[in-house]
């Protein structure tokens, strides 16, 4: 048993804070109130908030938790549950591991893909004992790669039937919904009808449809409208992922209005947003599907061929917004260290190259491990962040993978990993003063729990799972920065995951108590 003494309770509902002790017995909360002396461990929470553990509704930790299950970046921000399988990326179903890694964040050859189904992946993940709970959606990118490879066309009837069968199998294995990433090469040819048909298969389970919409710059609001049409036709609950587009606050406001109108019309819709002022992706995302489908050797040939380059330039990608290459900044990488932290336009000017040719040159120099070449796209403003996060239908998410500053992921980066919940609380509560502590905690706990359909997490109540954060409301803050991102947050004093003491007096313990949660399996 563990007793947490004298803290101020923020129970996740957004209600008034109050002083109480919390008693934990096994993996559950046994009492909240005045707890008599116990024989077990006593934790002092005086001067601190005691809240449910934070839930990351938009995570990409599917694979990094297998590489390093400690989830160090997350637990130091009070995170106890991650929802993976977002944006059409994820770890199942898998038929061809070589193809599948195109829709997995943080892939390295060090952890081979030796499973095929959702159930196989869940078993594999539970076996490494992740420090946080994991909930997964079924990623459309893997459905499509399995059924069509990189074919740049809508699915035919047989392919659609296969995708439906794989989706149903994954849901039966315990996935919590379905996600799309329609801006990415492996999904961009999926029609609205195709997505609606799959979404309807999922919707009968009551799960969540989360979508990274088709256009996130010009046409972004129209793509949100498409998502609403899909949800309406499929009768699905809708989560619009990282809603704020990359092309300014007017498009952001139009997008929010479309969500509000849909909500008014009775559609169960909310949205989320990451906390970075930039987008983050692989540089190879600039390439069209007909190049990405090729083996690395053939890709290099195409990248060297001027005629192929001329065709590649016609492809509209996540990087081509407004053709403004000064917004695209190369991150630290082993292939082009001299250009790290610089924008593509300035590197191109220095090398007397057209930006597209420069990008193709950079990719040629990295074609053995293209996933190590990542870029940020400066695209958002603090004004957009304030408006989005103050909105009652919006919750924050990391839109990143869990990482750790030591161990096998020490050299990896994914902005947001170390900073999201800590940034959100510091910025919205202490700096912008737009949310009360109880409201911010609600957006980090009960609200995302309700979206995904978790009934026994996200609130501090007797009988719920003991996912509990004890944090200092004056200190909780991120330390990671744009170019030095890998620094753990400060301010979380204690963290329990299913009753396992995971952070003690600000330091990570060796405890790893996370469960891989399977829908319908208690
Ligand atoms: Zn996304």
């Amino acid at each position: 048993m563990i007793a947490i003494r004298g803290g101020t309770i923020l129970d996740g509902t957004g209600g008034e804070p109050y002083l109480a002790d919390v008693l934990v017995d096994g993996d559950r909360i046994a009492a909240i109130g005045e707890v008599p002396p116990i024989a077990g461990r006593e934790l002092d929470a005086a001067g601190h908030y005691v809240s449910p553990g934070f839930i990351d509704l938009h995570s990409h930790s599917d694979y990094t938790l297998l590489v390093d299950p400690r989830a160090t970046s997350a637990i130091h921000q009070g995170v106890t549950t991650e929802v993976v399988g977002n944006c059409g990326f994820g770890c199942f179903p898998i038929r061809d591991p070589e193809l599948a890694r195109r829709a997995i964040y943080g892939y390295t050859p060090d952890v081979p893909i030796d499973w095929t189904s959702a159930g196989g992946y869940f078993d594999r993940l539970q076996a490494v004992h992740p420090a946080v709970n994991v909930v997964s959606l079924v990623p459309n990118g893997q459905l499509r790669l399995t059924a069509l490879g990189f074919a740049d066309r809508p699915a035919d009837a047989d392919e659609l039937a296969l995708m439906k069968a794989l989706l149903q199998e994954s849901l039966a294995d315990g996935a919590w919904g379905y996600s799309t990433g329609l801006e990415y090469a492996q999904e961009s040819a999926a029609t609205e009808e195709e997505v609606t048909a799959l979404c309807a298969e999922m919707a009968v389970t009551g799960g969540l449809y989360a979508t990274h919409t088709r256009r996130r710059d010009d046409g972004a609001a129209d793509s949100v409208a498409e998502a609403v049409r899909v949800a309406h036709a499929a009768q699905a609950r809708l989560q619009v992922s990282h809603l704020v587009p990359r092309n300014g606050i007017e498009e952001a406001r139009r997008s929010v209005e479309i969500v509000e109108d849909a909500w008014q019309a009775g559609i169960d819709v909310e949205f989320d947003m990451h906390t970075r002022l930039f987008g983050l992706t692989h540089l190879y995302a600039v390439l069209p599907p007909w190049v990405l489908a090729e083996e690395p050797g053939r890709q290099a040939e195409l990248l060297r061929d001027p005629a192929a380059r001329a065709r590649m330039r016609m492809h509209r990608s996540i990087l081509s917004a407004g053709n403004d290459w000064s917004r695209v900044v190369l991150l630290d990488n082993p292939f082009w260290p001299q250009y790290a932290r610089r924008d593509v336009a300035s590197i191109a000017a220095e090398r007397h190259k057209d930006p597209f040719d420069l990008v193709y040159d950079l990719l040629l120099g990295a074609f053995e491990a293209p996933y190590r070449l990542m870029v940020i796209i400066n695209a958002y403003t603090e004004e957009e962040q304030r408006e989005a996060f103050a909105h009652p239908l919006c919750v924050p998410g990391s839109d990143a993978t869990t990482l750790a500053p030591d161990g096998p992921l020490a050299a990896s980066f994914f902005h947001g990993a170390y900073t999201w919940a800590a940034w959100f609380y510091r910025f919205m509560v202490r700096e912008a003063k737009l949310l009360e502590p109880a409201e911010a905690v609600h957006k980090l706990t009960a609200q995302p729990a309700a979206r995904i359909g978790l009934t026994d997490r996200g609130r501090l109540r007797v009988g719920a799972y003991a996912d509990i954060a004890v944090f200092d409301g004056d200190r909780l803050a991120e330390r990671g920065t744009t170019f030095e991102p890998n620094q753990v947050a400060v301010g979380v004093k204690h963290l329990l995951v299913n009753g396992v003491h995971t952070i003690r007096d600000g330091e990570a313990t060796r405890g790893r108590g996370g469960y891989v949660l399977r829908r319908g399996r208690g």
Side-chain angles (χ1 to χ4, degrees):
M1 295 215 283
I2 299 175
I4 303 167
R5 302 280 184 193
T8 301
I9 306 290
L10 296 173
D11 68 5
T13 63
E16 284 298 303
Y18 62 97
L19 283 172
D21 305 331
V22 178
L23 179 66
V24 172
D25 188 0
D27 64 1
R28 301 276 184 164
I29 296 171
I32 300 173
E34 252 181 68
V35 172
I38 62 160
R41 191 177 306 163
E42 298 273 351
L43 305 182
D44 176 18
H48 287 66
Y49 287 122
V50 179
S51 79
F54 300 157
I55 297 173
D56 186 353
L57 189 60
H58 194 103
S59 163
H60 289 300
S61 305
D62 316 60
Y63 188 86
T64 58
L65 285 169
L66 294 172
V67 179
D68 186 341
R70 296 175 300 165
T72 306
S73 56
I75 58 174
H76 281 279
Q77 297 177 78
V79 176
T80 54
T81 299
E82 304 239 333
V83 179
V84 303
N86 272 292
C87 299
F89 278 58
C91 284
F92 62 86
I94 290 175
R95 184 171 284 175
D96 175 354
E98 268 306 301
L99 262 187
R101 52 191 256 197
R102 302 304 194 147
I104 294 175
Y105 279 110
Y107 177 83
T108 80
D110 303 338
V111 177
I113 295 171
D114 56 6
W115 63 89
T116 55
S117 66
Y121 166 71
F122 295 155
D123 288 344
R124 184 78 167 68
L125 185 55
Q126 187 62 66
V128 303
H129 300 289
V132 292
N133 302 306
V134 182
V135 163
S136 187
L137 307 169
V138 183
N140 190 54
Q142 294 298 4
L143 292 179
R144 230 169 177 274
L145 284 171
T146 301
L148 288 93
F150 265 107
D152 192 17
R153 57 170 173 76
D156 66 25
D158 288 347
E159 289 156 350
L160 184 59
L162 175 59
M163 286 196 285
K164 283 183 181 175
L166 292 167
L167 173 60
Q168 280 176 345
E169 180 191 298
S170 305
L171 292 164
D173 279 352
W176 294 72
Y178 165 66
S179 84
T180 55
L182 298 171
E183 196 177 28
Y184 294 102
Q186 57 272 17
E187 294 181 64
S188 56
T191 61
E192 186 174 331
E193 292 69 31
E194 181 182 319
V195 173
T196 303
L198 288 160
C199 199
E201 291 289 317
M202 184 283 299
V204 294
T205 69
L208 189 64
Y209 172 48
T211 179
H212 173 139
T213 53
R214 203 176 287 279
R215 299 267 182 258
R216 304 260 304 109
D217 37 69
D218 299 328
D222 292 342
S223 292
V224 174
E226 177 189 358
V228 168
R229 287 195 301 274
V230 167
H232 180 66
Q235 297 192 289
R237 303 173 52 242
L238 173 63
Q239 185 74 16
V240 183
S241 300
H242 39 62
L243 177 88
V244 178
R246 295 187 295 266
N247 62 334
I249 199 159
E250 290 311 317
E251 192 89 23
R253 287 173 179 156
R254 274 196 292 279
S255 300
V256 171
E257 263 173 39
I258 290 166
V259 169
E260 286 172 341
D261 289 349
W263 192 85
Q264 292 282 347
I267 293 175
D268 183 350
V269 54
E270 296 194 11
F271 61 100
D272 52 71
M273 189 55 201
H274 59 67
T275 59
R276 309 177 283 262
L277 294 178
F278 45 83
L280 177 77
T281 194
H282 299 108
L283 187 60
Y284 69 66
V286 75
L287 297 175
W290 57 269
V291 180
L292 288 172
E294 299 291 346
E295 297 296 312
R298 177 64 185 147
Q299 279 188 21
E301 268 176 48
L302 289 169
L303 282 166
R304 272 189 286 266
D305 173 12
R309 283 191 177 201
R311 274 183 71 202
M312 289 178 207
R313 310 165 72 99
M314 310 303 293
H315 176 64
R316 173 178 173 157
S317 83
I318 195 165
L319 296 180
S320 48
N323 227 347
D324 181 1
W325 289 98
S326 70
R327 302 198 308 175
V328 180
V329 178
L330 204 61
L331 292 175
D332 291 354
N333 72 86
F335 301 107
W336 301 98
Q338 69 273 39
Y339 298 137
R341 309 185 182 193
R342 290 187 52 193
D343 71 272
V344 168
S346 80
I347 305 167
E350 185 178 301
R351 285 174 62 119
H352 306 291
K353 293 261 181 178
D354 160 272
F356 277 100
D357 277 320
L358 171 82
V359 166
Y360 301 147
D361 288 351
L362 296 177
L363 287 169
L364 256 178
F367 80 92
E368 305 139 51
Y371 45 85
R372 301 283 303 270
L373 261 192
M374 295 193 80
V375 292
I376 61 175
I377 311 163
N378 285 307
Y380 311 102
T381 64
E382 280 196 352
E383 186 183 15
E384 289 168 339
Q385 301 286 69
R386 274 193 292 268
E387 284 193 16
F389 288 130
H391 196 287
L393 295 179
C394 182
V395 302
S398 71
D399 196 10
T401 67
T402 49
L403 296 174
D406 60 344
L409 296 171
S412 302
F413 40 63
F414 204 133
H415 292 81
Y418 290 88
T419 53
W420 75 278
W423 178 93
F424 173 76
Y425 189 92
R426 176 189 64 76
F427 181 79
M428 290 303 288
V429 175
R430 295 208 300 274
E431 188 176 324
K433 295 184 166 52
L434 288 167
L435 296 175
E436 293 296 318
E439 295 171 316
V441 164
H442 176 68
K443 284 175 178 280
L444 288 163
T445 58
Q447 191 169 349
R451 290 315 288 155
I452 198 66
L454 291 169
T455 52
D456 42 19
R457 299 177 193 274
R459 289 182 185 212
L460 288 186
R461 59 171 178 77
V462 173
Y465 282 98
D467 293 344
I468 302 174
V470 178
F471 68 94
D472 183 338
D474 297 325
R475 269 187 74 227
L476 179 61
E478 82 287 7
R479 290 194 304 144
T481 62
T482 302
F483 294 122
E484 302 289 346
N486 292 1
Q487 306 182 66
V488 297
V490 293
V492 173
K493 184 179 186 188
H494 293 291
L495 189 72
L496 304 188
V497 181
N498 297 310
V500 172
H501 208 171
T502 306
I503 288 188
R504 181 186 306 174
D505 294 318
E507 302 288 336
T509 69
R510 286 167 176 239
R512 301 207 305 268
Y515 299 155
V516 177
L517 304 174
R518 302 193 189 199
R519 192 160 195 263
R521 309 272 177 99

